[in-house]
Amino acid sequence: MQRPNWAPDEVDVDRPSAARVYDFYLGGLHNFAADREMAARAVSDWPELPKIMQANRAFLRRAVRHLVAQGIDQFLDIGSGIPTAGNVHEVAQAATPDARVVYVDIDPVAVAHARALLADDPRTGVVQADFGDVDAVLGDPITRSLLDLSRPVGVLVVALLHFVGDDRGPAEVLSRYRAAMAPGSHLVVSHASADGAPDRADEHQSLYRRTATPMTMRTRDEVAALLDGFSLVEPGIVFLPQWRPDDPLPPANPERFTGYAAVARRD
């Protein structure tokens, strides 16, 4: 396919990317034909997928508002993806204009677009790094200039950990972030699971093996194990629409959203 002028030269436009597929589900414009083809195949097998992705994004916004209400005014969003409406800085700064946000992603397209979008906002920054490289994330000059880790910080790993296989030790990586977080900090997590739709999980995971980020769906107990050392905030680990919904009557059968949401405190 013809390379769009906004795509960095090093990006393989013929190989789908989880970040760009997610962008497509959310109605974004920064995705390629390979991403749209993969999304179409996934949706043909699982028509609820776009609604699941939108529910995930809605959870992120509710969680950020909750953290701001707890007095947190700085955020580290790891695996932030391609900028779309309702980003962390937009939600946080609507409530606290001086809120600072550092976005972290390994995808060069996501990073390039985030940098372009946020170039005029001195309270935000973008770091290209891998979640597992804790030193690179926390030690980057941008992170160090914007965030004061001696104060409470909100660390977001939303729709990220299911792209971190067990062989990469996600629990150990999270423990390293926890060690760097001041007491009163919070961790925000959402995670894909087969618990709500086990019959569709295998096919969906096989699709993501075509990308650079294969998917590892985990059970509720496995998600809880990743959060060892943190204190869960009520209502604990629940399906996406069940975490402090804005609507007092959340959708029926929330298990069909097949993703868990949780916010946990670093005591």
Side-chain angles (χ1 to χ4, degrees):
M1 63 166 288
Q2 183 176 359
R3 178 181 297 274
N5 57 13
W6 50 261
D9 291 340
E10 66 272 21
V11 171
D12 182 355
V13 299
D14 295 317
R15 185 178 188 185
S17 153
R20 297 193 302 267
V21 171
Y22 185 49
D23 174 71
F24 175 76
Y25 285 137
L26 294 177
L29 302 175
H30 300 114
N31 46 77
F32 305 137
D35 307 306
R36 295 188 288 273
E37 177 189 353
M38 177 176 162
R41 287 186 56 190
V43 171
S44 69
D45 292 329
W46 201 337
E48 297 91 347
L49 275 177
K51 290 186 178 180
I52 293 171
M53 304 304 175
Q54 292 157 16
N56 180 75
R57 196 71 178 181
F59 158 67
L60 178 148
R61 293 192 290 268
R62 297 195 304 274
V64 170
R65 290 197 297 267
H66 171 76
L67 266 58
V68 170
Q70 306 309 302
I72 292 176
D73 62 359
Q74 52 179 358
F75 298 84
L76 179 65
D77 185 0
I78 309 174
S80 53
I82 293 172
T84 56
N87 259 352
V88 174
H89 72 284
E90 294 174 335
V91 177
Q93 291 173 1
T96 303
D98 291 332
R100 294 171 177 261
V101 180
V102 172
Y103 293 104
V104 180
D105 207 285
I106 196 170
D107 186 294
V109 171
V111 170
H113 280 283
R115 286 175 174 161
L117 178 71
L118 303 172
D120 296 328
D121 187 345
R123 297 160 299 176
T124 63
V126 185
V127 173
Q128 183 169 359
D130 181 72
F131 160 76
D133 193 344
V134 180
D135 292 337
V137 172
L138 299 183
D140 190 279
I142 293 174
T143 305
R144 294 165 65 97
S145 68
L146 285 171
L147 305 183
D148 177 2
L149 296 183
S150 69
R151 298 194 301 110
V153 61
V155 177
L156 294 88
V157 285
V158 174
L160 170 67
L161 294 173
H162 45 250
F163 296 121
V164 182
D166 294 338
D167 59 315
R168 297 182 60 200
E172 291 77 9
V173 175
L174 284 176
S175 72
R176 293 186 61 198
Y177 283 107
R178 185 179 69 247
M181 296 161 65
S185 297
H186 285 67
L187 177 71
V188 178
V189 173
S190 67
H191 198 300
S193 176
D195 287 354
D199 54 323
R200 292 173 170 172
D202 287 344
E203 177 64 23
H204 194 61
Q205 290 179 96
S206 70
L207 273 177
Y208 273 87
R209 293 190 191 105
R210 296 176 54 198
T211 76
T213 49
M215 178 177 285
T216 301
M217 292 185 174
R218 294 185 173 95
T219 66
R220 186 185 185 282
D221 287 345
E222 289 171 330
V223 173
L226 295 176
L227 303 179
D228 186 47
F230 290 92
S231 298
L232 286 169
V233 171
E234 289 294 331
I237 302 171
V238 294
F239 288 113
L240 290 166
Q242 294 178 309
W243 199 91
R244 303 194 178 206
D246 294 326
D247 187 336
L249 296 174
N253 306 116
E255 69 279 358
R256 76 181 191 273
F257 286 88
T258 66
Y260 286 115
V263 175
R265 179 183 170 92
R266 200 284 200 205
D267 296 322

